[in-house]
Amino acid sequence: RARTGATRMGAGSHALVALTALVQTVQFVWATQPKGWLLRLMDREPIVFFSCFLSGVGLSMPIVVPPIRRTLGYSTSQIDGYQED
């Protein structure tokens, strides 16, 4: 069936923005922190570590979830920006 209004959004849209933010954050942390900083962070500040972990999971969700939903046959119309009939 033809979609009305908008085209299906792919990796060139919201997922690309989330992926770019994630990559830039990793590059910044990698360049500014000494070796072993992750182990020290887990040991000394577990709440901060867990918060960073959850933000990484949240940033990866727009990239990971839509393909899984399509594979399982679920609707992705709200994610893709079109209405199903």
Side-chain angles (χ1 to χ4, degrees), residues 66 69-70 72-80 82 84:
R69 288 182 60 90
R70 284 187 204 105
L72 294 174
Y74 292 122
S75 172
T76 58
S77 62
Q78 290 180 337
I79 298 167
D80 294 332
Y82 67 88
E84 290 184 327

Side-chain angles (χ1 to χ4, degrees), residues 12-32:
S13 59
H14 62 281
L16 184 60
V17 172
L19 182 61
T20 303
L22 182 63
V23 168
Q24 288 177 343
T25 302
V26 169
Q27 287 176 340
F28 175 76
V29 169
W30 187 268
T32 59

Side-chain angles (χ1 to χ4, degrees), residues 37-74:
W37 68 271
L38 188 60
L39 293 175
R40 283 194 303 272
L41 184 65
M42 285 190 296
D43 183 46
R44 296 179 185 170
E45 300 288 341
I47 294 173
V48 173
F49 172 77
F50 191 65
S51 297
C52 292
F53 174 76
L54 286 180
S55 67
V57 169
L59 284 173
S60 66
M61 297 271 296
I63 301 165
V64 174
V65 172
I68 293 172
R69 288 182 60 90
R70 284 187 204 105
T71 301
L72 294 174
Y74 292 122

